[in-house]
Amino acid sequence: MAFDFLVPVDDRLIAHCELLPAQALGNKIHKHTQRKGLPVLANASFAIIGVNESRNAFEKKTETLDLFEVRRQLYKLMMGNWSNTIVDLGDINEGEAVADTYFVVKEIVAELIEEDVVAIIIGATQDITYPSYRAFDGLRSMVNLVSVDSRFDFGDADELISSHSYLSKIITDKPNNLFNFSNVGYQSYFCAQEEIDLMEHLFFDAYRLGEISANITLAEPILRNAHIVSIDLRSIKASEISMSENFSPNGFNGKEICSIARYAGISDKVNVFGIYEGENTPQSFQLTAQIIWYFIEGHNYRVKESPLVKSEDFTKFIVPTDDEDLIFHKSNLTNRWWVEVPTILSSHNKSNIPALLSCMEQDYFDACNQIIPERWFKAYKKGFN
């Protein structure tokens, strides 16, 4: 069983928790310990997993990610006004081969998805996103992935897989469950024009750093449809997290990345939330812990709602355009917006129910001015489902 490969939380951390206030997360999280074994998953909302696999790092790691310190910072934070149960399953160490580590990650994440437990992964390198994606095999026919990253991570055609090329493997490997990929925060000087063209050709979504930083709320509808959220900490500016040469002077600040994490938590579709490429610095440990805190905080405010399920809780707007009518729905409870997308798939099933794409109020105003939202157009071309 894959859970047998999990290494318990360090006993020093268990002792450290005894010195913390009763309200600290360290005293609220149910931990995998040497003495008590694995915590029960029943009724758990989150499962924290450390993955110390870095052999496929693009920039080779000179030291192992200090998961002890990440946890120490997380355990020190105070519990919010949450009703969620959090478990810490411990760590997955390197297997005999990288494929062995991937297999364990895939099996454990798949089990958590089936148990309706959100996996929070703290990984050394972002290629761990690949086995997390493969965990959906047989569970979901289509998966939406959002990556918060300064690069697209397509890599070279002849490159097997690394932290800079895992996306190519996700796109090309069978079974191909990827429906949509969205990049949040790419920086143009790190991305070849061919990569940008490929994103357009595949009808994927890409948002530049400046665009998101100027209006952080743009990230919310993107994350609302995500099943996997993968954060590369190198998307954060060096002064916020690390002085390593692997980090750029430009990037998100701490407040922005925590807002993005909170939006990810609010989404009722996110099953896997991964944070990768951290450095062994005090700022990196603290910010990783705070990102996790904000993700859990967002989850506490999740509202499961759909205009197609309970239409009386929504206001419907029909906007005539030159090509066809766009139908928008606004939630009377959360003020969130959706737009209907006709699909080829819906015309071939008995229900003939249109697909829903999360959007912003501005998309409605743009449609009123005969400006078709770009995300709607891409979803329409792709046969959104």
Side-chain angles (χ1 to χ4, degrees):
M1 185 179 177
F3 281 82
D4 294 338
F5 291 95
L6 286 164
V7 178
V9 173
D10 195 308
D11 284 339
R12 292 175 297 163
L13 276 170
I14 309 302
H16 173 70
C17 290
E18 296 178 3
L19 304 175
L20 297 175
Q23 302 90 341
L25 274 177
N27 288 317
K28 301 294 184 179
I29 295 174
H30 303 272
K31 294 172 280 293
H32 176 194
T33 66
Q34 192 75 45
R35 188 165 63 89
K36 294 183 178 179
L38 284 163
V40 177
L41 287 179
N43 301 318
S45 299
F46 306 97
I48 299 168
I49 310 166
V51 183
N52 236 328
E53 173 63 74
S54 61
R55 283 172 287 184
N56 276 343
F58 184 78
E59 298 99 354
K60 297 306 176 186
K61 304 290 184 180
T62 57
E63 56 185 2
T64 302
L65 179 62
D66 193 343
L67 292 167
F68 175 93
E69 282 299 323
V70 174
R71 280 190 173 88
R72 194 170 73 86
Q73 294 300 329
L74 177 63
Y75 288 1
K76 286 165 59 177
L77 301 180
M78 294 297 150
M79 182 87 168
N81 186 23
W82 308 329
S83 57
N84 303 310
T85 300
I86 309 166
V87 300
D88 190 337
L89 296 179
D91 298 332
I92 301 170
N93 287 337
E94 290 184 351
E96 186 173 338
V98 177
D100 298 324
T101 311
Y102 284 0
F103 175 80
V104 174
V105 172
K106 173 190 171 184
E107 292 297 307
I108 290 175
V109 172
E111 177 68 24
L112 294 174
I113 294 170
E114 289 194 280
E115 294 285 343
D116 198 26
V117 178
V118 178
I120 299 177
I121 301 175
I122 309 164
T125 53
Q126 201 178 14
D127 56 288
I128 300 302
T129 304
Y130 173 72
S132 302
Y133 159 75
R134 286 269 72 104
F136 286 83
D137 292 352
L139 301 178
R140 283 196 64 88
S141 57
M142 287 294 160
V143 178
N144 295 326
L145 166 64
V146 174
S147 175
V148 182
D149 201 337
S150 58
R151 296 172 169 85
F152 295 135
D153 292 334
F154 285 121
D156 297 326
D158 58 349
E159 191 174 6
L160 292 175
I161 182 171
S162 77
S163 54
H164 275 184
S165 67
Y166 72 91
L167 188 58
S168 292
K169 194 164 179 64
I170 286 177
I171 292 172
T172 58
D173 266 23
K174 303 293 182 182
N176 194 323
N177 302 329
L178 183 68
F179 179 73
N180 192 46
F181 169 70
S182 301
N183 171 281
V184 174
Y186 82 93
Q187 298 176 37
S188 298
Y189 36 73
F190 291 143
C191 303
Q193 187 58 47
E194 290 80 2
E195 292 180 299
I196 298 172
D197 293 341
L198 180 60
M199 290 287 288
E200 284 292 322
H201 177 72
L202 296 173
F203 300 111
F204 289 161
D205 302 316
Y207 299 85
R208 292 179 66 169
L209 170 66
E211 186 180 5
I212 299 295
S213 292
N215 183 6
I216 198 69
T217 61
L218 287 173
E220 190 278 325
I222 306 165
L223 291 157
R224 203 189 313 163
N225 277 343
H227 301 105
I228 307 173
V229 176
S230 176
I231 296 180
D232 186 333
L233 291 179
R234 292 171 300 186
S235 63
I236 302 168
K237 63 174 67 176
S239 60
E240 298 281 301
I241 192 166
S242 169
M243 300 313 293
S244 165
E245 63 180 14
N246 295 329
F247 285 72
S248 168
N250 287 307
F252 290 116
N253 61 35
K255 180 180 177 181
E256 290 165 345
I257 199 69
C258 287
S259 295
I260 289 170
R262 190 175 188 275
Y263 287 140
I266 291 172
S267 166
D268 62 7
K269 289 186 172 66
V270 173
N271 300 113
V272 181
F273 182 74
I275 307 169
Y276 307 100
E277 305 290 347
E279 296 276 319
N280 288 336
T281 66
Q283 299 99 315
S284 180
F285 300 141
Q286 290 178 43
L287 189 52
T288 300
Q290 290 169 19
I291 289 170
I292 294 171
W293 191 95
Y294 273 100
F295 175 72
I296 298 173
E297 168 82 351
H299 186 281
N300 191 63
Y301 292 99
R302 281 188 176 187
V303 176
K304 288 192 176 184
E305 56 180 356
S306 170
L308 301 181
V309 175
K310 209 170 182 183
S311 58
E312 63 269 24
D313 291 340
F314 293 80
T315 303
K316 183 177 180 179
F317 300 86
I318 301 175
V319 181
T321 68
D322 294 337
D323 296 321
E324 62 181 287
D325 293 348
L326 294 189
I327 301 175
F328 289 85
H329 300 270
K330 179 184 179 182
S331 168
N332 300 327
L333 177 62
T334 63
N335 290 325
R336 295 189 294 184
W337 287 75
W338 286 262
V339 60
E340 293 186 11
V341 184
T343 71
I344 298 171
L345 295 174
S346 67
S347 63
H348 292 283
N349 61 41
K350 293 180 181 179
S351 63
N352 201 29
I353 296 174
L356 286 174
L357 178 68
S358 55
C359 64
M360 299 185 68
E361 185 177 42
Q362 186 59 47
D363 294 317
Y364 165 70
F365 290 137
D366 288 344
C368 291
N369 291 319
Q370 300 298 299
I371 301 171
I372 303 298
E374 185 177 357
R375 289 184 69 236
W376 183 93
F377 177 77
K378 288 180 177 180
Y380 178 76
K381 284 291 186 181
K382 202 183 307 180
F384 191 92
N385 71 347

